[in-house]
Amino acid sequence: MNWRFTLLVTPLRALLAAFAVAAGVLAFGWSGLFNVAATTGHWPITDWLLHFVMVNSVKTHTIAVETPGNLDDPALIARGAGHYASGCASCHGAPGRPRSPVIREMVPTAPDLDAKVPTWEPKHLFWIVKNGVKYAGMPAWISAEEREDEAWAVTAFLLKLPGMTPQTYKALAFGAEEDGSAGGLTAVAPPSGPLRPDILADCARCHGRDGAGRDGDAFPVIGGQSRAYLFDALKAFASGDRHSGIMATTAARVTEDDLKALADHYAGQSWTTTRAPVDRTLIAAGERIAREGVRATGTPACASCHGPAPTAQNPAYPRLAGQHASYLEQQLLLWEKEHDSRGGGAFRGIMRQIAFLMSKEDIRAVAAYYASLSSGE
Ligand code: HEC
Ligand code: HEC
Ligand code: HEC
């Protein structure tokens, strides 16, 4: 038996057989007999096989993924919902908004997620949102590697999606704005000109018309930040220099003139912030860093550029007094992690260097200190 087998299957024959199979596949492709029409859909066996491969791929690739403990945070859910309206609902539909008939003709189609979400664990959903699904038309997250925190925000929202009422969805995704004001994937780029109400309405869904934000610390305060800083930040989001899938979706679809008009609008608002209650000892430690820096790590005093100080401020240095602690902390951690892709202005190199040298504890303390200041300081 053994000698017969070795006689029949020689390495050369195996190689020739492999070539023959490859040539056969190529010839079939070349003949044009395979029908790529989406009208006929997949055979049930192909459907089953693709789903089987996808489910197992997701499970295997998430073995080492750790699920954060804050997926119930209302701010995270609101941030995820805001993006869902501009980046996902156009394919998957949303509560009270059925999927488009065009999307239903996709093979495979983007499913209604109400029924699908409960079939996955949170880390599976996170992985799908971050990485997308090849051969299926499910896109990966913009800046997937850099912004896992944003993919988790969308996951936090997805977990609340099954059974959500249209009213709850509207409040979470649109804030005080009218339904249908989402830009992103759902709209073609409007022509540029003076500030267009439909573009402002899209920003206002998350930041409010006054730029003060909503839902606690879900969105950074932008009203009253300098025009130069706002414009630079928006351009950097649009070009991908500053990584954020949420902000790229909304900023990259309008022209530079529109971004200028938006920067004008928000710079003209007053800087209104709410002081969050934070730990006193942490604030005191943060104040020391802000006023004196940290000699051991060569961290300069933040106050020399960001205040509070009576000196005239360079408009390229953003205001931090009263900004949300979680946002400040997140930005500094991002800078530390991938110190090549934050900020938008000409002086961003300085800030990268500073954040890169900071410890996590110092970052937490200084963020708490700035958040505790009132807007006038
Ligand atoms: C261009 C259309 C499109 C967009 C935009 C899109 N998806 Fe998908 N999505 C798909 C398609 C198609 C599938 C089906 C993949 C499959 O069956 O293998 C899918 C699958 C999924 C699944 C897995 C569902 C399952 O169990 O089969 C989840 C979860 C998901 N998408 C979430 C999202 C989220 C969240 C967003 C926004 C960040 C998003 N999708 C944006 C097309 C899209
Ligand atoms: C879906 C919600 C959402 C929408 C819509 C949105 N933003 Fe944002 N915005 C965010 C989030 C979240 C961040 C924080 C990004 C980060 O972590 O880098 C942000 C950050 C910003 C920043 C940077 C703030 C800083 O201190 O550096 C500016 C400026 C800004 N947005 C302006 C706008 C404008 C103008 C629009 C309309 C074109 C808009 N945003 C639409 C959620 C949104
Ligand atoms: C020499 C001036 C300088 C010093 C000192 C400085 N920064 Fe900055 N910082 C900047 C500039 C410039 C930017 C804006 C970068 C950009 O986006 O172009 C910035 C941005 C930031 C941001 C992002 C704000 C936002 O709205 O997204 C944070 C947070 C920050 N700095 C914190 C700090 C802290 C904390 C310290 C002290 C440890 C510090 N900075 C020291 C110049 C400075």
Side-chain angles (χ1 to χ4, degrees):
M1 184 70 191
N2 229 348
W3 64 267
R4 267 176 148 180
F5 186 73
T6 14
L7 204 71
L8 280 173
V9 184
T10 64
L12 181 67
R13 283 184 186 165
L15 196 69
L16 285 175
F19 268 124
V21 170
V25 170
L26 213 64
F28 182 60
W30 173 81
S31 72
L33 290 173
F34 181 77
N35 191 357
V36 296
T39 44
T40 54
H42 284 314
W43 292 325
I45 175 85
T46 320
D47 247 348
W48 175 84
L49 187 71
L50 287 176
H51 200 68
F52 174 76
V53 171
M54 173 206 172
V55 170
N56 289 304
S57 169
V58 172
K59 286 188 176 158
T60 302
H61 283 89
T62 46
I63 287 172
V65 172
E66 275 181 44
T67 307
N70 65 340
L71 296 181
D72 271 330
D73 178 356
L76 205 64
I77 294 165
R79 199 178 304 150
H83 180 77
Y84 187 88
S86 42
C88 319
S90 48
C91 283
H92 289 288
R97 294 147 189 80
R99 286 173 306 150
S100 137
V102 176
I103 296 298
R104 286 166 197 257
E105 297 298 324
M106 276 176 79
V107 177
T109 186
D112 182 344
L113 293 177
D114 229 49
K116 294 286 186 182
V117 165
T119 66
W120 298 103
E121 287 176 34
K123 64 177 181 180
H124 299 150
L125 293 169
F126 158 77
W127 194 89
I128 295 171
V129 173
K130 179 187 167 199
N131 297 287
V133 183
K134 235 189 268 200
Y135 309 121
M138 167 62 201
W141 191 259
I142 301 168
S143 307
E145 285 311 320
E146 294 81 5
R147 295 311 301 261
E148 290 194 340
D149 62 305
E150 293 186 329
W152 278 116
V154 173
T155 305
F157 165 73
L158 287 180
L159 292 170
K160 302 285 175 211
L161 183 64
M164 185 180 280
T165 63
Q167 291 79 357
T168 307
Y169 174 70
K170 180 178 182 294
L172 279 173
F174 295 89
E177 292 303 313
E178 281 309 308
D179 220 344
S181 53
L185 272 178
T186 54
V188 289
S192 64
L195 182 54
R196 289 179 46 126
D198 53 337
I199 300 180
L200 180 61
D202 186 23
C203 312
R205 288 192 300 127
C206 295
H207 293 289
R209 289 181 177 242
D210 58 358
R214 63 174 170 93
D215 287 279
D217 56 357
F219 308 103
V221 181
I222 60 169
Q225 201 67 273
S226 83
R227 181 182 184 283
Y229 177 73
L230 290 171
F231 181 56
D232 286 344
L234 287 169
K235 263 197 317 189
F237 282 129
S239 68
D241 278 353
R242 178 170 169 181
H243 291 172
S244 166
I246 296 178
M247 273 307 298
T249 303
T250 165
R253 72 184 188 94
V254 299
T255 66
E256 212 167 292
D257 286 342
D258 293 322
L259 296 181
K260 265 194 200 120
L262 288 166
D264 274 345
H265 168 81
Y266 280 114
Q269 306 299 310
S270 60
W271 177 254
T272 35
T273 57
T274 45
R275 265 195 265 193
V278 232
D279 170 357
R280 289 268 131 223
T281 0
L282 197 63
I283 294 174
E287 177 163 12
R288 231 174 0 261
I289 299 168
R291 293 192 184 276
E292 299 161 22
V294 187
R295 195 158 302 157
T297 47
T299 306
C302 325
S304 59
C305 294
H306 293 292
T311 52
Q313 229 192 13
N314 181 333
Y317 303 163
R319 298 172 87 152
L320 306 183
Q323 183 63 280
H324 307 303
S326 62
Y327 171 76
L328 297 174
E329 192 177 342
Q330 177 72 55
Q331 295 304 310
L332 290 166
L333 290 174
L334 285 168
W335 244 313
E336 191 184 45
K337 195 172 94 186
E338 28 121 7
H339 61 130
D340 260 352
S341 53
R342 305 303 305 157
F347 301 104
R348 61 184 174 160
I350 309 173
M351 198 49 228
R352 272 185 212 147
Q353 296 267 317
I354 296 171
F356 195 53
L357 293 172
M358 291 181 76
S359 71
K360 295 209 168 25
E361 291 70 33
D362 287 352
I363 285 179
R364 220 160 75 78
V366 83
Y369 165 65
Y370 273 110
S372 75
L373 297 177
S374 75
S375 44
E377 285 169 280

